[in-house]
Amino acid sequence: MRSNIGLWWLLAGFFVLMAVVYTAWSIIAQPDLPWYQAVEWAGSTALAFGIFMSAMVAFYIQLVHKGQHGVALPEDRDDADIDDGDAELGEFSPWSWWPLVLAGSAAIAIISLAVAQFLLPLALGLFAVAIVGWVYEYYRGYFAR
């Protein structure tokens, strides 16, 4: 956990350095303009958000580590076995086609918004079928309970 904290703070520092370099470079590249017009605001703002997001993750991980009182998790120890971690990670479908159908309906919806609006009802209908099929896939067929 300490290495993760250090990596995230290092990433935040990298974004600080790159934001300063990027902003200064854009000002230096256009000396005839005032500084507020020479700054390329989209890139500078994106790098500033990179700083805030990586610092936020680093701060959160640091608080979690402090809340654990410095106890190392099984995945942080070199001598840990696989069984030392949480045994139950969740229930996952062994082979489900419904997420693929759901993604296809989302793709048709986006394409219909961009190109042909008459496809939107078809996409919404396919979306409803995919959601119902995904939710109720364990009530029918081979994996019924």
Side-chain angles (χ1 to χ4, degrees), residues 92-131:
F92 302 100
S93 299
W95 49 75
S96 178
W97 289 95
W98 292 112
L100 186 64
V101 176
L102 192 64
S105 70
I108 292 172
I110 296 299
I111 288 172
S112 72
L113 290 176
V115 179
Q117 288 81 15
F118 69 89
L119 289 174
L120 191 59
L122 173 74
L124 293 176
L126 189 60
F127 176 80
V129 169
I131 286 292

Side-chain angles (χ1 to χ4, degrees), residues 43-61:
S44 298
T45 305
L47 287 168
F49 276 113
I51 295 166
F52 295 130
M53 287 187 286
S54 57
M56 182 176 59
V57 171
F59 181 69
Y60 173 75
I61 293 174

Side-chain angles (χ1 to χ4, degrees), residues 1 4 11 18 20-21 32 42 47 51 67-68 78 95 116 120:
M1 199 96 156
N4 288 336
L11 185 63
M18 288 299 110
V20 169
V21 168
D32 53 333
L47 287 168
I51 295 166
Q68 293 173 346
D78 290 334
W95 49 75
L120 191 59

